Amino acid sequence: MKKTSSIFLAALSASVAAPSALAVNGHYSLGIEGLGAAAAPPQGLYYRGYLVHYEVDSFNDGSGSSVPGNNSGTVSALAHRFIWMTDKTVLGADYGMETIIPMLDIEFDLDVAGGSRFDDDGIGDLFVGPIILGWHGSQWDITFAGGHWFDTADFDVDNPASVGKGYGTTMLTLGGMWHFDEEKRWNISALSRYEIKTKQDDTGVTPGDSWLVEWGLGHRLNNGLELGLVGYNAWQLEADEGAPTTDKAERHAIGAEAGYLWATAGVMLKGAYYHEYDTQAGGLKGLESDGNTLRLQLTKFF
């Protein structure tokens, strides 16, 4: 019974905990990027801060049905991302690198876990990305990147709010952006991530590979304000190895974004709201959260 309980709690932790509020079954937080995310920036050093607040409406099982009980929670995250685009080129693409340091505050009130309250806060698993490649045309951009989320944060198999995942994730990125007009007032973009996980030692489970897509359709007004429709879709492609079920996780959401660039100050500010309209749990994740996300994004060009 104790082993079953531990596996369940670890499953719930993998569902909505660190380092992202909205991971499907890995590390990457869905909804933190939006309009124009598939275009690598020009040469220079950049800081990008993501402030994310996620409100859990319910928890769903492997069929997408809400489980009974009064289950709620919040995930607040401040992720610090540093990007360096060098003056080097590789295969005709601008070359850069990046790292992400997430800070998390997680709270869950769960009837499904015996009416218990769980919480944790601290620095989540760290990401190091040694490869960013950006190709640019007159009306298009293509980006490829690769990196790894390291198992560096504290993980407690008995705490669903643990800020660590208990495993590592290799993440490969491919995305593209197209401007419909030469003035670049209308654009469409899609940014995909492929995640490959290591074994979670505390449970012996290896989460299955997953594929995530963030997309956006944007329009820049004459005053410089950009508005658009954004969303994300994510699928777990393989069942978790060693998990009690073969269920595969999914997450789907749609939302809106607004952003503005102060070119003289080298500052860009974006805000977005996402509503999840369909989620279902995978094998390691006995339950999957279903909720709404508010995200603010600040980029500073150095």
Side-chain angles (χ1 to χ4, degrees):
M1 178 64 70
K2 186 178 187 303
K3 181 179 180 181
T4 301
S5 175
S6 295
I7 291 176
F8 167 76
L9 291 173
L12 192 55
S13 174
S15 175
V16 292
S20 64
L22 299 167
V24 63
N25 76 323
H27 277 82
Y28 183 70
S29 179
L30 291 156
I32 65 168
E33 299 290 359
L35 300 175
Q43 177 184 342
L45 180 64
Y46 302 82
Y47 166 77
R48 180 167 289 174
Y50 305 88
L51 182 61
V52 179
H53 182 73
Y54 180 65
E55 290 279 350
V56 178
D57 287 340
S58 64
F59 287 98
N60 297 341
D61 59 21
S63 66
S65 301
S66 178
V67 299
N70 183 22
N71 306 297
S72 62
T74 62
V75 180
S76 298
L78 175 60
H80 305 281
R81 181 182 181 191
F82 299 91
I83 306 169
W84 179 34
M85 297 301 298
T86 71
D87 59 354
K88 309 298 183 183
T89 60
V90 177
L91 301 177
D94 297 336
Y95 169 73
M97 58 192 73
E98 63 181 327
T99 187
I100 302 173
I101 306 170
M103 303 169 60
L104 299 140
D105 185 2
I106 305 170
E107 298 180 358
F108 294 138
D109 289 297
L110 305 172
D111 281 352
V112 294
S116 300
R117 181 178 178 83
F118 300 91
D119 62 81
D120 195 12
D121 61 79
I123 297 177
D125 295 331
L126 303 181
F127 177 80
V128 177
I131 300 174
I132 301 175
L133 299 177
W135 292 268
H136 308 283
S138 60
Q139 291 180 226
W140 58 267
D141 301 273
I142 295 176
T143 299
F144 172 82
H148 188 79
W149 294 95
F150 289 89
D151 180 16
T152 56
D154 292 335
F155 173 72
D156 182 354
V157 71
D158 293 319
N159 184 6
S162 178
V163 298
K165 288 283 191 180
Y167 58 86
T169 297
T170 296
M171 186 171 74
L172 303 176
T173 297
L174 181 63
M177 181 175 179
W178 173 259
H179 297 277
F180 294 101
D181 55 324
E182 293 183 357
E183 293 78 18
K184 297 185 176 181
R185 293 192 179 276
W186 287 94
N187 66 79
I188 187 170
S189 63
L191 185 69
S192 67
R193 317 276 193 177
Y194 192 90
E195 293 186 314
I196 306 168
K197 295 87 175 181
T198 65
K199 180 185 291 186
Q200 189 179 60
D201 291 334
D202 288 8
T203 62
V205 175
T206 302
D209 293 359
S210 53
W211 183 50
L212 332 168
V213 180
E214 294 175 285
W215 54 266
L217 175 62
H219 177 58
R220 181 168 52 86
L221 305 178
N222 291 332
N223 61 7
L225 181 67
E226 186 174 24
L227 303 174
L229 186 69
V230 291
Y232 58 77
N233 304 87
W235 300 267
Q236 180 180 345
L237 303 179
E238 300 176 333
D240 296 339
E241 182 180 344
T245 75
T246 58
D247 292 337
K248 300 176 184 177
E250 289 189 25
R251 304 189 78 89
H252 305 278
I254 193 168
E257 180 177 304
Y260 190 82
L261 169 65
W262 287 269
T264 56
V267 172
M268 178 184 293
L269 182 63
K270 294 182 178 183
Y273 175 82
Y274 292 83
H275 170 68
E276 289 185 326
Y277 57 86
D278 183 28
T279 68
Q280 61 186 55
L284 175 60
K285 305 183 333 177
L287 297 177
E288 179 72 275
S289 65
D290 189 348
N292 302 290
T293 300
L294 178 64
R295 181 254 298 162
L296 296 177
Q297 181 191 107
L298 171 68
T299 302
K300 171 61 180 174
F301 310 88
F302 294 101

